[in-house]
Amino acid sequence: MASEGERRRAGFAIFGIGRAGQIHLGNILKMRRAHLMYVVEEDLVHGRSVLEKHLVDREVKLLGLKDADQVFNDPGVAAVVVCTPTNTHKKVVQQALKCGKAVFCEKPIAVTLEETESCYNDAEKFGVPLFCAFNRRFDPNVCQMRERYRRGEIGQAQCFKTCSRDSPAVPLWYLKISGGIFHDCGVHDIDMVCWILGEYPVSVFSQAHAFRQDIADIGDVDQVMIVMKFASGCIATVDMSRDAVYGYDQRLELKGSKGMLEQQNRFPTTVVKYDQSGLTGGRIEESFPQRYRESYQREMSHFLDNVLGVEKEVGITKDETLRVSLIASACEDSYRTGKQIFMDNYKENGGHK
């Protein structure tokens, strides 16, 4: 028999329906236990177009940011999903928390560690969940790698390699508001590595380069290599790129003392053609909405369980979010200074401001 939490429906509002916002919009609309009430989008023409595309009920209100108080003051809204540009997160998150709304926020929660911590403090103060969207933790393959490693199938972890190459090429308008590749992309791989291993690095070192001139012009890079050393002795490398012409390249390899676990790329089809020229197959998944479709669904379902009280523990904690953000900042500072950074000293000195 279904519990009361499983029978109830939670009122939702989404702030921002860009790339990530549209994924969450589609998932919320499919959930029986969720009721979409508001969409807040600064570009109302874009907002109407997206709502029409998704066949959203006319009862759902489309608002500009200046009218967002309607959301915060509506007692029917139990949860707010924040997908606006990073520099607007803190204001929306804190206002929602103050009004007793559970918050699901695309990373990062805020621009600085201090602001992020203040948001979590507000969540604790007002007694509502604050969820930072590290969606890869909810990917079935990533979860399986973690479970099998934790069971001891490959013994002591020695070397961990991640490959995370974007596709298609990311537009410049997004890069300008992304917060940079270390905090936009790197945090996902850093969090995933630390979550699977169950430990945080003692030191980091990064090298990077901008092959696209327009990316160099905004002070960012498009190819990164990060090396993280852990107290256990394990060494992890993170290979990131803003553009892989052959598709969305997402691979993991974890070598241990007794064997190795590997996660390969996913293909839309398993059909392969054989002829006189050899063997040919299709491209790997095109981009992140396709590759991480299940993880986006599962993370929103988990958050909904938090909202309805079915699940008390929030999947990503305050400490985890702050640590990963600090490590990402250390990796960026390592690239900019050309030096290896030791995390204990970095934390003591306040990290990146």
Side-chain angles (χ1 to χ4, degrees), residues 130-167:
L130 172 56
F131 178 92
C132 185
F134 286 115
N135 69 297
R136 294 184 192 177
R137 290 193 184 197
F138 296 87
D139 179 75
N141 293 309
V142 173
C143 291
Q144 184 182 148
M145 282 194 73
R146 181 177 187 263
E147 290 166 5
R148 295 178 68 173
Y149 167 65
R150 296 296 184 92
R151 285 203 301 262
E153 285 191 24
I154 61 168
Q156 172 64 52
Q158 297 175 341
C159 179
F160 200 158
K161 298 178 182 179
T162 79
C163 177
S164 186
R165 298 171 183 161
D166 225 339
S167 171

mmCIF file of all heavy atoms in Angstrom, residues 130-167:
data_model
loop_
_atom_site.group_PDB
_atom_site.id
_atom_site.type_symbol
_atom_site.label_atom_id
_atom_site.label_comp_id
_atom_site.label_asym_id
_atom_site.label_seq_id
_atom_site.Cartn_x
_atom_site.Cartn_y
_atom_site.Cartn_z
ATOM 1 N N LEU A 130 17.982 21.339 0.580
ATOM 2 C CA LEU A 130 18.708 22.037 -0.483
ATOM 3 C C LEU A 130 19.555 20.985 -1.196
ATOM 4 O O LEU A 130 20.448 20.381 -0.595
ATOM 5 C CB LEU A 130 19.598 23.136 0.086
ATOM 6 C CG LEU A 130 20.554 23.825 -0.911
ATOM 7 C CD1 LEU A 130 19.807 24.408 -2.098
ATOM 8 C CD2 LEU A 130 21.372 24.917 -0.204
ATOM 9 N N PHE A 131 19.249 20.760 -2.473
ATOM 10 C CA PHE A 131 19.874 19.690 -3.249
ATOM 11 C C PHE A 131 20.722 20.304 -4.355
ATOM 12 O O PHE A 131 20.220 21.063 -5.190
ATOM 13 C CB PHE A 131 18.790 18.796 -3.848
ATOM 14 C CG PHE A 131 19.296 17.677 -4.714
ATOM 15 C CD1 PHE A 131 19.555 16.432 -4.170
ATOM 16 C CD2 PHE A 131 19.502 17.856 -6.072
ATOM 17 C CE1 PHE A 131 20.020 15.380 -4.965
ATOM 18 C CE2 PHE A 131 19.965 16.828 -6.873
ATOM 19 C CZ PHE A 131 20.222 15.586 -6.321
ATOM 20 N N CYS A 132 22.033 19.976 -4.364
ATOM 21 C CA CYS A 132 22.932 20.421 -5.429
ATOM 22 C C CYS A 132 23.024 19.322 -6.477
ATOM 23 O O CYS A 132 23.344 18.168 -6.166
ATOM 24 C CB CYS A 132 24.317 20.728 -4.868
ATOM 25 S SG CYS A 132 25.453 21.424 -6.093
ATOM 26 N N ALA A 133 22.755 19.670 -7.738
ATOM 27 C CA ALA A 133 22.528 18.667 -8.783
ATOM 28 C C ALA A 133 23.802 18.078 -9.386
ATOM 29 O O ALA A 133 24.178 18.399 -10.509
ATOM 30 C CB ALA A 133 21.653 19.266 -9.886
ATOM 31 N N PHE A 134 24.446 17.176 -8.644
ATOM 32 C CA PHE A 134 25.531 16.369 -9.207
ATOM 33 C C PHE A 134 24.902 15.097 -9.771
ATOM 34 O O PHE A 134 24.904 14.044 -9.142
ATOM 35 C CB PHE A 134 26.584 16.055 -8.139
ATOM 36 C CG PHE A 134 27.454 17.232 -7.787
ATOM 37 C CD1 PHE A 134 27.425 17.792 -6.525
ATOM 38 C CD2 PHE A 134 28.307 17.779 -8.743
ATOM 39 C CE1 PHE A 134 28.232 18.876 -6.202
ATOM 40 C CE2 PHE A 134 29.125 18.866 -8.431
ATOM 41 C CZ PHE A 134 29.077 19.420 -7.161
ATOM 42 N N ASN A 135 24.361 15.227 -10.970
ATOM 43 C CA ASN A 135 23.496 14.175 -11.511
ATOM 44 C C ASN A 135 24.203 12.855 -11.784
ATOM 45 O O ASN A 135 23.571 11.798 -11.810
ATOM 46 C CB ASN A 135 22.820 14.661 -12.797
ATOM 47 C CG ASN A 135 23.792 14.822 -13.946
ATOM 48 O OD1 ASN A 135 24.706 15.639 -13.893
ATOM 49 N ND2 ASN A 135 23.617 14.046 -14.997
ATOM 50 N N ARG A 136 25.522 12.879 -11.998
ATOM 51 C CA ARG A 136 26.206 11.627 -12.364
ATOM 52 C C ARG A 136 26.185 10.594 -11.245
ATOM 53 O O ARG A 136 26.339 9.401 -11.480
ATOM 54 C CB ARG A 136 27.637 11.911 -12.806
ATOM 55 C CG ARG A 136 27.684 12.713 -14.096
ATOM 56 C CD ARG A 136 29.086 12.931 -14.598
ATOM 57 N NE ARG A 136 29.091 13.936 -15.654
ATOM 58 C CZ ARG A 136 30.175 14.383 -16.261
ATOM 59 N NH1 ARG A 136 31.350 13.907 -15.904
ATOM 60 N NH2 ARG A 136 30.096 15.297 -17.197
ATOM 61 N N ARG A 137 25.971 11.038 -10.016
ATOM 62 C CA ARG A 137 25.835 10.088 -8.911
ATOM 63 C C ARG A 137 24.615 9.179 -9.104
ATOM 64 O O ARG A 137 24.527 8.120 -8.480
ATOM 65 C CB ARG A 137 25.681 10.828 -7.584
ATOM 66 C CG ARG A 137 26.913 11.530 -7.096
ATOM 67 C CD ARG A 137 26.696 11.922 -5.660
ATOM 68 N NE ARG A 137 27.797 12.697 -5.119
ATOM 69 C CZ ARG A 137 27.998 12.873 -3.826
ATOM 70 N NH1 ARG A 137 27.176 12.303 -2.954
ATOM 71 N NH2 ARG A 137 29.004 13.604 -3.394
ATOM 72 N N PHE A 138 23.684 9.617 -9.932
ATOM 73 C CA PHE A 138 22.449 8.867 -10.127
ATOM 74 C C PHE A 138 22.460 8.066 -11.428
ATOM 75 O O PHE A 138 21.461 7.433 -11.769
ATOM 76 C CB PHE A 138 21.254 9.829 -10.092
ATOM 77 C CG PHE A 138 21.080 10.491 -8.750
ATOM 78 C CD1 PHE A 138 21.750 11.673 -8.445
ATOM 79 C CD2 PHE A 138 20.272 9.924 -7.778
ATOM 80 C CE1 PHE A 138 21.616 12.270 -7.214
ATOM 81 C CE2 PHE A 138 20.130 10.509 -6.531
ATOM 82 C CZ PHE A 138 20.801 11.688 -6.248
ATOM 83 N N ASP A 139 23.577 8.099 -12.138
ATOM 84 C CA ASP A 139 23.702 7.294 -13.351
ATOM 85 C C ASP A 139 23.861 5.827 -12.947
ATOM 86 O O ASP A 139 24.729 5.498 -12.126
ATOM 87 C CB ASP A 139 24.922 7.750 -14.155
ATOM 88 C CG ASP A 139 25.112 6.917 -15.415
ATOM 89 O OD1 ASP A 139 24.356 7.122 -16.370
ATOM 90 O OD2 ASP A 139 26.016 6.061 -15.418
ATOM 91 N N PRO A 140 23.061 4.909 -13.510
ATOM 92 C CA PRO A 140 23.138 3.492 -13.110
ATOM 93 C C PRO A 140 24.524 2.885 -13.260
ATOM 94 O O PRO A 140 24.950 2.088 -12.414
ATOM 95 C CB PRO A 140 22.127 2.813 -14.046
ATOM 96 C CG PRO A 140 21.146 3.884 -14.398
ATOM 97 C CD PRO A 140 21.960 5.150 -14.476
ATOM 98 N N ASN A 141 25.252 3.245 -14.318
ATOM 99 C CA ASN A 141 26.584 2.682 -14.529
ATOM 100 C C ASN A 141 27.592 3.196 -13.508
ATOM 101 O O ASN A 141 28.434 2.439 -13.004
ATOM 102 C CB ASN A 141 27.071 3.002 -15.949
ATOM 103 C CG ASN A 141 26.255 2.293 -17.001
ATOM 104 O OD1 ASN A 141 26.060 1.087 -16.935
ATOM 105 N ND2 ASN A 141 25.766 3.033 -17.978
ATOM 106 N N VAL A 142 27.515 4.485 -13.201
ATOM 107 C CA VAL A 142 28.401 5.062 -12.184
ATOM 108 C C VAL A 142 28.104 4.430 -10.824
ATOM 109 O O VAL A 142 29.025 4.071 -10.074
ATOM 110 C CB VAL A 142 28.244 6.594 -12.126
ATOM 111 C CG1 VAL A 142 29.041 7.171 -10.955
ATOM 112 C CG2 VAL A 142 28.696 7.238 -13.432
ATOM 113 N N CYS A 143 26.816 4.279 -10.512
ATOM 114 C CA CYS A 143 26.423 3.646 -9.244
ATOM 115 C C CYS A 143 26.958 2.219 -9.162
ATOM 116 O O CYS A 143 27.435 1.779 -8.106
ATOM 117 C CB CYS A 143 24.903 3.639 -9.104
ATOM 118 S SG CYS A 143 24.163 5.265 -8.853
ATOM 119 N N GLN A 144 26.882 1.493 -10.275
ATOM 120 C CA GLN A 144 27.372 0.116 -10.282
ATOM 121 C C GLN A 144 28.876 0.059 -10.066
ATOM 122 O O GLN A 144 29.375 -0.805 -9.321
ATOM 123 C CB GLN A 144 27.010 -0.581 -11.600
ATOM 124 C CG GLN A 144 27.401 -2.042 -11.618
ATOM 125 C CD GLN A 144 27.084 -2.723 -12.929
ATOM 126 O OE1 GLN A 144 27.794 -3.643 -13.339
ATOM 127 N NE2 GLN A 144 26.033 -2.279 -13.611
ATOM 128 N N MET A 145 29.620 0.979 -10.689
ATOM 129 C CA MET A 145 31.077 1.009 -10.481
ATOM 130 C C MET A 145 31.399 1.234 -9.014
ATOM 131 O O MET A 145 32.275 0.577 -8.440
ATOM 132 C CB MET A 145 31.728 2.092 -11.337
ATOM 133 C CG MET A 145 31.883 1.715 -12.790
ATOM 134 S SD MET A 145 32.998 2.824 -13.695
ATOM 135 C CE MET A 145 34.604 2.325 -13.061
ATOM 136 N N ARG A 146 30.695 2.158 -8.403
ATOM 137 C CA ARG A 146 30.938 2.455 -6.986
ATOM 138 C C ARG A 146 30.630 1.240 -6.112
ATOM 139 O O ARG A 146 31.418 0.864 -5.240
ATOM 140 C CB ARG A 146 30.073 3.638 -6.555
ATOM 141 C CG ARG A 146 30.261 4.052 -5.095
ATOM 142 C CD ARG A 146 29.418 5.282 -4.808
ATOM 143 N NE ARG A 146 29.672 5.829 -3.486
ATOM 144 C CZ ARG A 146 28.917 5.567 -2.407
ATOM 145 N NH1 ARG A 146 27.880 4.743 -2.514
ATOM 146 N NH2 ARG A 146 29.209 6.121 -1.239
ATOM 147 N N GLU A 147 29.477 0.617 -6.344
ATOM 148 C CA GLU A 147 29.067 -0.528 -5.537
ATOM 149 C C GLU A 147 30.060 -1.689 -5.670
ATOM 150 O O GLU A 147 30.438 -2.318 -4.679
ATOM 151 C CB GLU A 147 27.671 -0.976 -5.957
ATOM 152 C CG GLU A 147 26.575 0.003 -5.573
ATOM 153 C CD GLU A 147 25.256 -0.269 -6.278
ATOM 154 O OE1 GLU A 147 25.183 -1.298 -7.009
ATOM 155 O OE2 GLU A 147 24.322 0.533 -6.118
ATOM 156 N N ARG A 148 30.499 -1.952 -6.889
ATOM 157 C CA ARG A 148 31.405 -3.086 -7.112
ATOM 158 C C ARG A 148 32.803 -2.805 -6.552
ATOM 159 O O ARG A 148 33.461 -3.709 -6.029
ATOM 160 C CB ARG A 148 31.437 -3.428 -8.603
ATOM 161 C CG ARG A 148 30.095 -3.923 -9.114
ATOM 162 C CD ARG A 148 30.096 -4.211 -10.594
ATOM 163 N NE ARG A 148 30.932 -5.363 -10.926
ATOM 164 C CZ ARG A 148 31.001 -5.897 -12.140
ATOM 165 N NH1 ARG A 148 30.292 -5.376 -13.133
ATOM 166 N NH2 ARG A 148 31.778 -6.944 -12.361
ATOM 167 N N TYR A 149 33.235 -1.549 -6.644
ATOM 168 C CA TYR A 149 34.518 -1.198 -6.028
ATOM 169 C C TYR A 149 34.424 -1.319 -4.509
ATOM 170 O O TYR A 149 35.315 -1.900 -3.862
ATOM 171 C CB TYR A 149 34.942 0.219 -6.418
ATOM 172 C CG TYR A 149 36.081 0.720 -5.575
ATOM 173 C CD1 TYR A 149 37.340 0.121 -5.634
ATOM 174 C CD2 TYR A 149 35.893 1.775 -4.667
ATOM 175 C CE1 TYR A 149 38.385 0.551 -4.825
ATOM 176 C CE2 TYR A 149 36.930 2.212 -3.862
ATOM 177 C CZ TYR A 149 38.174 1.600 -3.941
ATOM 178 O OH TYR A 149 39.202 2.025 -3.128
ATOM 179 N N ARG A 150 33.323 -0.802 -3.941
ATOM 180 C CA ARG A 150 33.158 -0.844 -2.490
ATOM 181 C C ARG A 150 33.024 -2.278 -1.972
ATOM 182 O O ARG A 150 33.334 -2.542 -0.803
ATOM 183 C CB ARG A 150 31.934 -0.019 -2.083
ATOM 184 C CG ARG A 150 32.027 1.480 -2.368
ATOM 185 C CD ARG A 150 33.133 2.158 -1.567
ATOM 186 N NE ARG A 150 33.156 3.590 -1.763
ATOM 187 C CZ ARG A 150 32.502 4.468 -1.000
ATOM 188 N NH1 ARG A 150 31.764 4.057 0.003
ATOM 189 N NH2 ARG A 150 32.590 5.763 -1.252
ATOM 190 N N ARG A 151 32.543 -3.197 -2.819
ATOM 191 C CA ARG A 151 32.460 -4.610 -2.436
ATOM 192 C C ARG A 151 33.826 -5.290 -2.455
ATOM 193 O O ARG A 151 33.963 -6.436 -2.047
ATOM 194 C CB ARG A 151 31.505 -5.374 -3.362
ATOM 195 C CG ARG A 151 30.041 -5.116 -3.137
ATOM 196 C CD ARG A 151 29.202 -6.265 -3.664
ATOM 197 N NE ARG A 151 29.394 -6.499 -5.094
ATOM 198 C CZ ARG A 151 28.588 -6.046 -6.040
ATOM 199 N NH1 ARG A 151 27.535 -5.286 -5.712
ATOM 200 N NH2 ARG A 151 28.818 -6.315 -7.320
ATOM 201 N N GLY A 152 34.816 -4.616 -2.998
ATOM 202 C CA GLY A 152 36.163 -5.170 -3.016
ATOM 203 C C GLY A 152 36.481 -6.008 -4.228
ATOM 204 O O GLY A 152 37.477 -6.751 -4.225
ATOM 205 N N GLU A 153 35.706 -5.898 -5.306
ATOM 206 C CA GLU A 153 35.915 -6.742 -6.478
ATOM 207 C C GLU A 153 37.286 -6.556 -7.121
ATOM 208 O O GLU A 153 37.841 -7.504 -7.683
ATOM 209 C CB GLU A 153 34.826 -6.475 -7.520
ATOM 210 C CG GLU A 153 33.479 -7.060 -7.185
ATOM 211 C CD GLU A 153 32.514 -6.999 -8.354
ATOM 212 O OE1 GLU A 153 32.964 -6.945 -9.516
ATOM 213 O OE2 GLU A 153 31.293 -6.997 -8.098
ATOM 214 N N ILE A 154 37.827 -5.330 -7.063
ATOM 215 C CA ILE A 154 39.123 -5.091 -7.717
ATOM 216 C C ILE A 154 40.213 -4.724 -6.710
ATOM 217 O O ILE A 154 41.294 -4.277 -7.084
ATOM 218 C CB ILE A 154 39.019 -4.007 -8.808
ATOM 219 C CG1 ILE A 154 38.575 -2.660 -8.197
ATOM 220 C CG2 ILE A 154 38.078 -4.439 -9.918
ATOM 221 C CD1 ILE A 154 38.723 -1.488 -9.153
ATOM 222 N N GLY A 155 39.945 -4.946 -5.426
ATOM 223 C CA GLY A 155 40.954 -4.684 -4.408
ATOM 224 C C GLY A 155 41.193 -3.199 -4.168
ATOM 225 O O GLY A 155 40.288 -2.367 -4.309
ATOM 226 N N GLN A 156 42.424 -2.861 -3.829
ATOM 227 C CA GLN A 156 42.799 -1.476 -3.536
ATOM 228 C C GLN A 156 42.879 -0.646 -4.814
ATOM 229 O O GLN A 156 43.564 -1.026 -5.761
ATOM 230 C CB GLN A 156 44.153 -1.445 -2.829
ATOM 231 C CG GLN A 156 44.743 -0.064 -2.634
ATOM 232 C CD GLN A 156 43.896 0.812 -1.735
ATOM 233 O OE1 GLN A 156 43.542 0.408 -0.640
ATOM 234 N NE2 GLN A 156 43.570 2.009 -2.197
ATOM 235 N N ALA A 157 42.200 0.487 -4.837
ATOM 236 C CA ALA A 157 42.263 1.381 -5.997
ATOM 237 C C ALA A 157 43.670 1.938 -6.149
ATOM 238 O O ALA A 157 44.278 2.396 -5.178
ATOM 239 C CB ALA A 157 41.261 2.518 -5.853
ATOM 240 N N GLN A 158 44.179 1.900 -7.384
ATOM 241 C CA GLN A 158 45.523 2.398 -7.657
ATOM 242 C C GLN A 158 45.529 3.529 -8.666
ATOM 243 O O GLN A 158 46.284 4.492 -8.520
ATOM 244 C CB GLN A 158 46.395 1.235 -8.168
ATOM 245 C CG GLN A 158 46.576 0.122 -7.157
ATOM 246 C CD GLN A 158 47.344 -1.057 -7.724
ATOM 247 O OE1 GLN A 158 47.455 -1.217 -8.941
ATOM 248 N NE2 GLN A 158 47.874 -1.898 -6.847
ATOM 249 N N CYS A 159 44.698 3.424 -9.692
ATOM 250 C CA CYS A 159 44.673 4.432 -10.756
ATOM 251 C C CYS A 159 43.253 4.598 -11.260
ATOM 252 O O CYS A 159 42.571 3.624 -11.565
ATOM 253 C CB CYS A 159 45.588 3.995 -11.905
ATOM 254 S SG CYS A 159 45.629 5.156 -13.298
ATOM 255 N N PHE A 160 42.800 5.848 -11.335
ATOM 256 C CA PHE A 160 41.436 6.158 -11.771
ATOM 257 C C PHE A 160 41.531 7.178 -12.907
ATOM 258 O O PHE A 160 42.084 8.257 -12.737
ATOM 259 C CB PHE A 160 40.645 6.741 -10.600
ATOM 260 C CG PHE A 160 39.139 6.677 -10.753
ATOM 261 C CD1 PHE A 160 38.328 6.737 -9.632
ATOM 262 C CD2 PHE A 160 38.531 6.576 -11.995
ATOM 263 C CE1 PHE A 160 36.950 6.682 -9.738
ATOM 264 C CE2 PHE A 160 37.160 6.521 -12.122
ATOM 265 C CZ PHE A 160 36.363 6.570 -10.988
ATOM 266 N N LYS A 161 40.984 6.820 -14.075
ATOM 267 C CA LYS A 161 41.001 7.731 -15.218
ATOM 268 C C LYS A 161 39.568 8.076 -15.613
ATOM 269 O O LYS A 161 38.727 7.198 -15.755
ATOM 270 C CB LYS A 161 41.696 7.090 -16.417
ATOM 271 C CG LYS A 161 43.152 6.728 -16.200
ATOM 272 C CD LYS A 161 43.719 6.052 -17.441
ATOM 273 C CE LYS A 161 45.160 5.626 -17.240
ATOM 274 N NZ LYS A 161 45.705 4.953 -18.458
ATOM 275 N N THR A 162 39.298 9.370 -15.795
ATOM 276 C CA THR A 162 38.007 9.783 -16.336
ATOM 277 C C THR A 162 38.239 10.586 -17.611
ATOM 278 O O THR A 162 39.204 11.337 -17.724
ATOM 279 C CB THR A 162 37.199 10.648 -15.338
ATOM 280 O OG1 THR A 162 37.688 11.991 -15.356
ATOM 281 C CG2 THR A 162 37.284 10.092 -13.930
ATOM 282 N N CYS A 163 37.343 10.408 -18.552
ATOM 283 C CA CYS A 163 37.372 11.157 -19.809
ATOM 284 C C CYS A 163 36.011 11.806 -19.975
ATOM 285 O O CYS A 163 34.984 11.128 -19.973
ATOM 286 C CB CYS A 163 37.667 10.218 -20.982
ATOM 287 S SG CYS A 163 37.624 11.037 -22.592
ATOM 288 N N SER A 164 35.986 13.121 -20.099
ATOM 289 C CA SER A 164 34.729 13.861 -20.193
ATOM 290 C C SER A 164 34.874 14.941 -21.261
ATOM 291 O O SER A 164 35.347 16.039 -20.989
ATOM 292 C CB SER A 164 34.397 14.491 -18.833
ATOM 293 O OG SER A 164 33.123 15.092 -18.850
ATOM 294 N N ARG A 165 34.459 14.608 -22.478
ATOM 295 C CA ARG A 165 34.621 15.512 -23.617
ATOM 296 C C ARG A 165 33.257 15.893 -24.168
ATOM 297 O O ARG A 165 32.470 15.026 -24.555
ATOM 298 C CB ARG A 165 35.479 14.848 -24.692
ATOM 299 C CG ARG A 165 36.886 14.526 -24.202
ATOM 300 C CD ARG A 165 37.657 13.673 -25.173
ATOM 301 N NE ARG A 165 38.976 13.331 -24.641
ATOM 302 C CZ ARG A 165 39.719 12.337 -25.086
ATOM 303 N NH1 ARG A 165 39.294 11.581 -26.102
ATOM 304 N NH2 ARG A 165 40.893 12.079 -24.547
ATOM 305 N N ASP A 166 33.016 17.183 -24.196
ATOM 306 C CA ASP A 166 31.699 17.706 -24.554
ATOM 307 C C ASP A 166 31.400 17.576 -26.043
ATOM 308 O O ASP A 166 32.300 17.523 -26.879
ATOM 309 C CB ASP A 166 31.608 19.180 -24.164
ATOM 310 C CG ASP A 166 30.298 19.516 -23.478
ATOM 311 O OD1 ASP A 166 29.340 18.758 -23.653
ATOM 312 O OD2 ASP A 166 30.258 20.531 -22.773
ATOM 313 N N SER A 167 30.122 17.558 -26.360
ATOM 314 C CA SER A 167 29.651 17.566 -27.742
ATOM 315 C C SER A 167 28.184 17.992 -27.718
ATOM 316 O O SER A 167 27.434 17.580 -26.829
ATOM 317 C CB SER A 167 29.770 16.172 -28.365
ATOM 318 O OG SER A 167 29.131 16.112 -29.623
#
